[in-house]
Amino acid sequence: LDAPAVARVVEHSSRLVEDRERLSTHISDIRDLLREADFVAGQAGAELIGREHVSEAVEKRIYRLDRFRELVRENVARGLVLVETDGAKVGQVNGLSVVSLGQIQFGQPSRITATARLGRGELMDIERESHLGGKIHSKAVMIVSSFLGSRYAQEQPLSLHASLVFEQSYGGVEGDSASIAEVCALISAIIGRPIKQSLAVTGSMDQHGVVQAIGGVNEKIEGFFDICKEQGLNGDQGVIIPTTNKDHLMLRQDVVDAVAAGQFHVYTVGTVDEAMVLLFSPNGEGAVDSAEIDTAMRSRIAELHDIRRRLVHEDESKNE
């Protein structure tokens, strides 16, 4: 191998363990890659294995395994699976998940939607109610509910009924990496403020709104990038990830090039507030202040509480 080829193998090894400061100890995988790169170099008549030969070997390996990923992309392109990468919607956000199939795993964007109406403070997790949500996901939704109650309902009850669901999800939903997306979708539904569909978000959170690291960050970013590229990059699209995941980034070269050219963006956030600033900011306008979102939330919750209290009073008057 020449020096650039060695560097490319090291990059691939770090990607296998999702950490720029670590290398994979799965020597058999690296050995297989080198054998294939050697064959590619031999076919090209090269004396040494070059970076391009290693990259081609990696691409061919993915090509042999990614039939299901291509079907997912095709369904999105044909409109069978709905994923929006432009405009803004109320109560809808692009979440990111990872699908693992044998030797390959890839990111799959999903629409997470929320609704809110007058109620008694219930947050319904449709995935759990339909027995499609795992224990970790159910725990994450409870944390989201606790965060909303602690932040916006310390002096009065949450007089609303809200629901969350992964749209067009027909298998199990597990993990807590959608927590940030879910809380932003809920806030959007409650105050009626649209969320930018050009951004996708991943990240778990604690009860105080601190964003926590997640797994599969490279595949998640690349999965949304592929959908955006298919629908047309407009320079406003990107992904929001936890700040604690920045050392895990080992992205494909085409994604790196798009970011460098300003066609795609990777934002890192440390709190829910930072994510809200990005998701609720109108296209082409200045950034929204998270305090503005908090004010709108408290105002709407107070309004719903007044409505519910008035209705209860009217019912009591009728029964007298």
Side-chain angles (χ1 to χ4, degrees):
L1 286 73
D2 60 18
V6 174
R8 182 66 182 87
V9 173
V10 170
E11 290 173 4
H12 180 72
S13 180
S14 291
R15 181 183 170 93
L16 290 177
V17 293
E18 296 186 6
D19 195 325
R20 290 187 295 183
E21 299 179 357
R22 300 287 186 272
L23 295 176
S24 172
T25 57
H26 290 186
I27 304 303
S28 59
D29 291 341
I30 303 300
R31 184 172 59 244
D32 291 344
L33 175 64
L34 292 177
R35 285 172 173 164
E36 192 162 350
D38 179 68
F39 176 80
V40 173
Q43 291 289 96
E47 294 184 2
L48 295 174
I49 299 174
R51 182 182 181 91
E52 67 278 10
H53 304 133
V54 179
S55 295
E56 184 176 344
V58 172
E59 292 170 0
K60 286 184 175 181
R61 176 180 291 187
I62 294 173
Y63 177 78
R64 292 194 297 268
L65 300 170
D66 73 344
R67 176 57 181 159
F68 187 79
R69 182 179 66 170
E70 290 301 320
L71 288 174
V72 171
R73 292 181 188 171
E74 180 182 333
N75 287 337
V76 173
R78 296 175 61 192
L80 301 178
V81 176
L82 301 178
V83 177
E84 299 185 44
T85 61
D86 196 11
K89 288 288 185 67
V90 173
Q92 176 175 302
V93 65
N94 289 317
L96 297 170
S97 59
V98 173
V99 177
S100 296
L101 292 173
Q103 295 179 323
I104 190 172
Q105 62 178 14
F106 58 92
Q108 181 175 345
S110 302
R111 287 182 304 132
I112 299 174
T113 62
T115 61
R117 58 189 184 275
L118 190 65
R120 298 183 177 182
E122 304 95 343
L123 173 55
M124 182 173 66
D125 177 10
I126 295 179
E127 304 296 339
R128 181 178 61 193
E129 296 298 321
S130 59
H131 303 291
L132 291 176
K135 293 181 180 179
I136 298 176
H137 179 260
S138 297
K139 174 186 175 182
V141 174
M142 293 178 189
I143 290 175
V144 168
S145 177
S146 177
F147 167 78
L148 291 175
S150 174
R151 184 160 181 167
Y152 301 114
Q154 289 190 351
E155 299 179 358
Q156 59 188 2
L158 277 171
S159 298
L160 58 85
H161 179 97
S163 61
L164 280 168
V165 70
F166 278 72
E167 300 291 356
Q168 293 186 287
S169 171
Y170 308 108
V173 175
E174 182 60 299
D176 60 356
S177 64
S179 303
I180 302 299
E182 289 170 336
V183 75
C184 289
L186 282 168
I187 291 174
S188 172
I190 293 169
I191 66 177
R193 183 157 190 160
I195 288 177
K196 293 171 69 173
Q197 300 302 295
S198 57
L199 295 177
V201 58
T202 182
S204 67
M205 60 177 282
D206 64 16
Q207 293 187 95
H208 303 291
V210 177
V211 178
Q212 303 166 148
I214 45 83
V217 64
N218 295 296
E219 289 79 7
K220 290 177 178 179
I221 294 173
E222 291 167 356
F224 189 65
F225 173 81
D226 290 337
I227 299 301
C228 292
K229 186 176 180 180
E230 183 74 28
Q231 298 184 1
L233 294 172
N234 58 21
D236 191 51
Q237 294 145 336
V239 172
I240 300 171
I241 66 170
T243 300
T244 45
N245 277 121
K246 64 182 180 181
D247 288 334
H248 302 152
L249 294 179
M250 294 295 298
L251 297 167
R252 291 190 330 236
Q253 190 60 45
D254 58 338
V255 181
V256 174
D257 293 340
V259 171
Q263 296 179 315
F264 193 76
H265 307 277
V266 178
Y267 302 100
T268 59
V269 297
T271 64
V272 171
D273 295 82
E274 294 175 8
M276 289 193 298
V277 167
L278 292 167
L279 290 170
F280 288 106
S281 296
N283 291 331
E285 300 181 22
V288 67
D289 187 353
S290 60
E292 179 184 341
I293 301 296
D294 287 346
T295 300
M297 276 288 291
R298 293 188 176 95
S299 175
R300 180 56 178 162
I301 289 172
E303 180 183 350
L304 289 172
H305 179 61
D306 290 340
I307 294 173
R308 182 168 176 265
R309 185 169 54 183
R310 187 181 68 248
L311 292 174
V312 170
H313 179 70
E314 290 176 356
D315 287 341
E316 291 176 349
S317 298
K318 291 179 181 178
N319 293 330
E320 290 179 355

